[in-house]
Amino acid sequence: MATPNEKIKIKVSEVAAVLGWSYTTAKSIKDRQSPKDRYQVYLECEQKLIDAKEQINIELSKH
């Protein structure tokens, strides 16, 4: 089981699915880091997914 200290990795496909973007669009925005507004949305989504996975790990470790 993962620990809270372990680095959680988020796949481009996970972010694309949440945002409703195609994989190629999300990958292109991540790699080029532009357009800036969409890249910011990508980063915010990625952070929310990391937070959610950390929370799941905490909940699972309680049981």
Side-chain angles (χ1 to χ4, degrees), residues 24-37:
T24 54
T25 298
K27 178 81 170 128
S28 175
I29 289 169
K30 181 183 179 189
D31 291 345
R32 292 183 297 130
Q33 299 182 2
S34 67
K36 289 185 179 188
D37 58 335

Side-chain angles (χ1 to χ4, degrees), residues 12-60:
V12 173
S13 59
E14 292 175 294
V15 176
V18 170
L19 294 174
W21 295 349
S22 69
Y23 173 85
T24 54
T25 298
K27 178 81 170 128
S28 175
I29 289 169
K30 181 183 179 189
D31 291 345
R32 292 183 297 130
Q33 299 182 2
S34 67
K36 289 185 179 188
D37 58 335
R38 293 186 87 187
Y39 182 63
Q40 188 62 38
V41 169
Y42 180 94
L43 291 177
E44 290 170 4
C45 181
E46 187 176 55
Q47 186 58 50
K48 287 180 183 178
L49 287 170
I50 290 170
D51 294 344
K53 285 187 175 191
E54 286 175 350
Q55 194 64 29
I56 289 169
N57 287 341
I58 291 168
E59 289 297 319
L60 290 175

